[in-house]
Amino acid sequence: MTRSAAPPSASSPPAGPGGVIGMPGQAWLEFDAVAWGSSGRALPGRPHRDLSPRMARLLAQGDTEGNYGHGRSGASMSVTLAAVGAGWSREELRHALAAVSHVAGTPGDWMVRDPRGRRRSVADQDHRVEYMWRNAVVRWCARPPASDAPQTMVEIAAMREAADARPFLWGGQAGASNRAVLEALWEIAARAGRLDPTASIRQIAEQTTVTDSTVDRAIHRLITAGWLRVDEPAGVDLVGEEDEHGRRDGQLRARRLHLLLPRTLPDPVDPDKLADPRSGELPATRWGGRAVHDTFTWRGLGAVAGRIYDVLETTGVRSGLLAARVGFTGPTVRKHLRRLAASGLACQGKDGWTRGNAGLDAVAARLGVDGALTRRAERHTVQREQALAYFVERANRRGWRVERGKYRPAGRHTGAPARLPLPVQRAETRIPLGL
């Protein structure tokens, strides 16, 4: 193992067998999570501390609140994960579990006797603690908790700075969609306090002006470029108890996306080319929310015009400087500036282009696109309901429960269930794209 000078953080990229952990901009640490978990040592870079009050209460008293319906194994794994994050070693965890092993219902009561009431041997106890500790280390490294929200914001700021320094990455036919999706994911990650939030394509589409099918294609492009990684696919989870027909309810699970800073990036643009030649000031680093409006949907003026409108200020800016800042070519910027000017959203003066005084709502009504984003959100709600009904029914019909007659929809006791019809949707919004 090769150590780096900087320890890994809670929101670092995951580690695994043959994987790496580290911070953007720092040296990377080659790390084998399975081997480290087998060693029983504390995780590198984790300061030693006590368990949180909630985990300490779970260890001492057991699941008194009923949060672990799967039994004591879930509570034991939660305590073990907390010990890994707190910088404990395996031996410290074993002593903590042994100290409460005489209290029934605690995560350590399994150490004394097995489910049949027979006393466990010391070798069996050691084997089970080793197995649980190794799995907890691998799980913690693969999906670290968001315990340091300020550090998460620092890493998001580093990604945004790298993206702002290379505006040419966000030009072209797909660049505006890629950046809009990335900005939406940064906002979602900032609210969640972690770099691997769950986000569906329709949730992202509702925070931008692009359609859900465009979001799905943009996510694939960002994955290829190294800005994203899919940690967990979308799906459905069956929850609750079975009814009289053997059916369980379900809930949709959105795709878990992990935000990354690409390992290799082209050289950034010289800041002097992006600064205002009169004042020397650089543009605002964060995209504003002005472009998320019905006016800039694809049936309106479009996302490119929205991006240009977003960077326009009350002071004049030349079209060449605008082109350098947004990453599009000069002819493309001038074409969309003329379209914005025709709608009253941009004005050309002697000092350059400024934002117009026309209201976005009035422009959307004149273009016939007012209410487009609201109708899209309503359509997404219907699609989620259809997807939930379809996939829950499909999950209930799978496996041994149907083969052994445990599932009887609508009171059917014999015969195979009727074929499930796939909800009819437009080709670009079909359910399997990511819920």
Side-chain angles (χ1 to χ4, degrees):
M1 173 178 287
T2 304
R3 291 185 177 271
S4 75
S9 72
S11 53
S12 303
V20 293
I21 55 178
M23 281 285 296
Q26 297 178 350
W28 289 78
L29 172 66
E30 298 293 338
F31 190 79
D32 188 336
V34 175
W36 195 274
S38 300
S39 70
R41 291 177 290 176
L43 202 65
R46 301 301 304 172
H48 191 280
R49 58 176 176 80
D50 294 333
L51 296 181
S52 66
R54 184 170 68 89
M55 287 292 106
R57 187 167 56 252
L58 177 63
L59 174 63
Q61 303 175 10
D63 185 19
T64 58
E65 300 176 357
N67 296 326
Y68 298 89
H70 296 291
R72 59 186 182 184
S73 61
S76 299
M77 179 55 71
S78 296
V79 171
T80 307
L81 284 169
V84 172
W88 289 20
S89 66
R90 185 178 64 205
E91 194 62 26
E92 290 177 291
L93 173 67
R94 191 187 191 289
H95 288 319
L97 293 175
V100 296
S101 60
H102 64 284
V103 182
T106 62
D109 68 347
W110 60 267
M111 298 186 69
V112 179
R113 297 187 183 277
D114 63 13
R116 296 183 180 182
R118 297 176 298 186
R119 188 170 184 84
R120 293 189 187 276
S121 64
V122 176
D124 189 18
Q125 295 178 23
D126 292 340
H127 171 73
R128 291 178 180 272
V129 171
E130 292 172 4
Y131 178 79
M132 189 167 56
W133 178 265
R134 182 174 65 251
N135 286 349
V137 170
V138 173
R139 181 184 176 88
W140 196 97
C141 293
R143 291 178 57 180
S147 59
D148 193 354
Q151 183 61 44
T152 300
M153 298 302 296
V154 169
E155 296 191 34
I156 293 176
M159 298 177 198
R160 183 175 275 117
E161 181 182 1
D164 289 333
R166 298 162 179 84
F168 53 85
L169 294 177
W170 319 113
Q173 185 175 5
S177 301
N178 292 353
R179 184 61 189 271
V181 169
L182 199 55
E183 287 286 342
L185 285 171
W186 283 335
E187 292 297 327
I188 294 173
R191 291 196 300 269
R194 57 189 306 154
L195 293 179
D196 58 340
T198 55
S200 69
I201 61 172
R202 287 166 178 79
Q203 178 186 358
I204 299 171
E206 291 169 7
Q207 297 193 23
T208 62
T209 58
V210 296
T211 63
D212 41 2
S213 59
T214 303
V215 170
D216 190 66
R217 291 192 293 270
I219 287 176
H220 283 83
R221 289 192 294 265
L222 291 171
I223 292 173
T224 303
W227 293 94
L228 289 177
R229 182 183 67 241
V230 177
D231 283 353
E232 184 179 349
V236 64
D237 296 322
L238 294 179
V239 296
E241 299 294 333
E242 296 181 357
D243 59 15
E244 65 273 16
H245 303 304
R247 185 183 185 278
R248 298 174 62 191
D249 292 330
Q251 59 186 14
L252 295 176
R253 183 182 66 251
R255 184 164 40 186
R256 184 174 295 279
L257 299 170
H258 199 115
L259 291 161
L260 303 169
L261 183 64
R263 295 279 191 91
T264 58
L265 284 171
D267 294 334
V269 175
D270 188 351
D272 293 338
K273 295 182 179 180
L274 305 179
D276 190 327
R278 292 165 296 185
S279 62
E281 296 181 356
L282 288 170
T285 57
R286 296 189 62 177
W287 285 29
R290 294 184 294 264
V292 183
H293 195 273
D294 298 332
T295 303
F296 302 114
T297 55
W298 70 278
R299 291 186 183 275
L301 296 179
V304 177
R307 172 58 181 151
I308 295 174
Y309 177 79
D310 199 20
V311 299
L312 286 175
E313 301 291 345
T314 55
T315 56
V317 181
R318 300 292 181 183
S319 61
L321 181 57
L322 276 176
R325 289 179 175 180
V326 298
F328 293 97
T329 62
T332 299
V333 171
R334 289 190 290 271
K335 179 186 75 173
H336 288 285
L337 284 172
R338 289 192 295 268
R339 298 177 65 218
L340 290 170
S343 299
L345 298 176
C347 299
Q348 185 177 19
K350 61 179 181 179
D351 293 332
W353 290 89
T354 59
R355 191 182 307 124
N357 297 323
L360 291 177
D361 293 339
V363 174
R366 189 163 62 249
L367 295 174
V369 295
D370 52 324
L373 296 180
T374 301
R375 291 191 296 271
R376 178 187 297 172
E378 294 173 351
R379 186 172 66 251
H380 289 171
T381 300
V382 174
Q383 290 174 357
R384 290 188 183 101
E385 293 174 354
Q386 293 175 342
L388 179 60
Y390 175 83
F391 283 112
V392 168
E393 187 74 8
R394 183 169 178 265
N396 274 301
R397 293 186 179 190
R398 296 180 63 185
W400 65 270
R401 302 175 66 255
V402 173
E403 296 172 2
R404 301 186 182 183
K406 296 293 185 181
Y407 176 58
R408 304 179 298 277
R412 294 171 60 99
H413 293 272
T414 59
R419 184 180 180 87
L420 278 177
L422 183 68
V424 178
Q425 299 178 22
R426 300 197 317 272
E428 66 270 18
T429 58
R430 287 175 183 161
I431 289 174
L433 289 179
L435 301 178

